[in-house]
Amino acid sequence: MTEILDGKALALQIKEEIANEVRQLVAADHRAPHLAAVIVGEDGASMTYVANKEKSSHEVGFTSSVYRLPEKISERELLETIQFLNNDPDIDGFIVQLPLPKHINEQRVINAISPDKDVDGFTPVNIGRMVLGEDCFVPATPMGICTLLKRYGIETAGKHCVVIGRSNIVGTPVANLLSRKGFDCTVTMCHSRTRNLAELTRQADILVVAIGKPEFITADMVKPDAVLVDVGIHRVPDASKKNGYRVIGDVKHSEVDSKCSWVTPVPGGVGPLTIVSLLQNTLKAYHKSHE
Ligand code: NAP
């Protein structure tokens, strides 16, 4: 029987744990943790992501602020905003919502974020620390995937985990984390130049799909009883929905799910855990700044 890795329910539970901790801090006369977000321009998906992060911050009692900057802002002005946030002692962590407009060098902006406030875990310092197994801020989506597997007690040691995708924000870090001590998977990382992809995916005890292509993974590509983690998020038009769209993943769930032992639904799987991981990283940054 297929069981659900219910990210929505787990996110609620972890948020309640964070909210309890924040209540205790505030009751003891400490200020609440503060997460800030920088958004450049008015991309619809980015605005939704930032709004969700803001809402979740408020739900757990964090202070939240959003810096909305015009699409035409220069790289220098954006870097000045980053410096301002780096130096503000009342802000524990901040994120810069990606993607940035084409005239801005994304990596230069990420590199300017103080590693101590880099709650997205995107700076070279935090990525380096993660690879070395040192204390760091782990990128939110990979961290959320690890939390899901851990909290649901999924056996990982010695399992063959196939990760599809090698992006810096999902595929590469999740492959690294799941191969490390504690998870102890044997990891195969696939990308667009991988040959015979289906042969590899059919060997996976745990299949993590972060390919960015709607319903790409079909039943013939999955081993019976595999654990399936679908990271993909795509909005497709759907006139039957009030908002005019529905959200689907990188996996064709209608045919794949019944073959698996565990699956993450889309929506309600990895997505909610991504936001929760950001909150956990912010709380960690808060504690570090109060050490
Ligand atoms: P990305 O940067 O576009 O990376 C996609 C990866 O898939 C690349 O490494 C690419 O290979 C690989 N790929 C593309 N076509 C392939 C093929 N035919 N066979 C094998 N590999 C192929 O995407 P991303 O940022 O990692 O995101 C992946 C998905 O997760 C997207 O749908 C995104 O919206 C979603 N996402 C969800 C969350 C969440 O919170 N749930 C967070 C982040 C992202 P190359 O490197 O060779 O190009």
Side-chain angles (χ1 to χ4, degrees):
M1 204 188 76
T2 309
E3 296 195 71
I4 302 294
L5 290 163
D6 188 342
K8 200 171 165 191
L10 181 57
L12 275 177
Q13 189 187 323
I14 298 176
K15 272 197 217 165
E16 195 41 46
E17 292 165 14
I18 298 172
N20 270 336
E21 197 174 329
V22 174
R23 274 193 287 273
Q24 284 171 25
L25 286 168
V26 173
D29 267 350
H30 297 292
R31 72 163 172 82
H34 185 167
L35 172 64
V38 178
I39 179 166
V40 181
E42 296 191 352
D43 174 72
S46 293
M47 290 201 300
T48 306
Y49 290 138
V50 168
N52 286 340
K53 287 165 190 174
E54 204 180 2
K55 180 169 166 267
S56 295
S57 292
H58 288 143
E59 281 167 359
V60 298
F62 285 4
T63 306
S64 157
S65 41
V66 179
Y67 292 77
R68 292 184 176 82
L69 305 175
E71 176 89 22
K72 288 207 157 77
I73 193 169
S74 69
E75 187 176 303
R76 188 180 50 78
E77 285 169 305
L78 178 57
L79 289 171
E80 280 167 11
T81 307
I82 305 287
Q83 280 317 321
F84 169 79
L85 296 171
N86 283 342
N87 294 329
D88 186 339
D90 287 333
I91 291 175
D92 299 296
F94 65 95
I95 61 138
V96 178
Q97 185 64 44
L98 303 178
L100 292 171
K102 295 229 171 341
H103 67 278
I104 294 175
N105 182 322
E106 224 164 70
Q107 197 56 50
R108 226 177 349 244
V109 172
I110 291 170
N111 291 355
I113 299 171
S114 160
D116 294 335
K117 295 192 177 187
D118 168 31
V119 285
D120 252 342
F122 289 168
T123 59
V125 170
N126 277 309
I127 291 170
R129 286 178 182 154
M130 181 190 73
V131 172
L132 293 171
E134 288 181 8
D135 186 39
C136 65
F137 295 115
V138 172
T141 303
M143 179 170 162
I145 294 168
C146 292
T147 304
L148 261 176
L149 296 176
K150 219 178 230 162
R151 292 263 194 146
Y152 272 93
I154 303 295
E155 212 185 305
T156 53
K159 300 288 182 189
H160 186 191
C161 174
V162 175
V163 176
I164 316 181
R166 58 176 166 183
S167 70
N168 288 341
I169 62 166
V170 190
T172 295
V174 84
N176 175 268
L177 292 166
L178 292 177
S179 67
R180 292 238 307 268
K181 278 201 191 322
F183 286 104
D184 298 299
C185 288
T186 303
V187 175
T188 301
M189 190 161 66
C190 304
H191 46 75
S192 64
R193 305 296 297 273
T194 297
R195 291 190 189 153
N196 304 323
L197 182 70
E199 254 174 50
L200 293 164
T201 58
R202 276 195 290 270
Q203 293 170 32
D205 302 308
I206 301 172
L207 182 59
V208 179
V209 191
I211 191 170
K213 292 191 178 349
E215 299 191 330
F216 182 90
I217 298 293
T218 46
D220 57 307
M221 299 174 83
V222 179
K223 176 175 163 177
D225 289 331
V227 174
L228 180 76
V229 177
D230 184 357
V231 187
I233 305 182
H234 310 275
R235 282 180 181 185
V236 292
D238 185 341
S240 72
K241 301 277 178 197
K242 236 196 318 213
N243 50 14
Y245 68 87
R246 75 196 147 87
V247 175
I248 60 171
D250 286 350
V251 174
K252 196 162 193 182
H253 287 271
S254 55
E255 60 175 61
V256 175
D257 286 11
S258 58
K259 237 184 143 175
C260 301
S261 56
W262 291 89
V263 292
T264 58
V266 178
V270 174
L273 262 298
T274 296
I275 294 191
V276 157
S277 302
L278 187 65
L279 300 176
Q280 288 174 308
N281 276 345
T282 305
L283 193 55
K284 180 175 172 155
Y286 173 91
H287 286 307
K288 275 173 136 356
S289 72
H290 285 73
E291 269 169 7

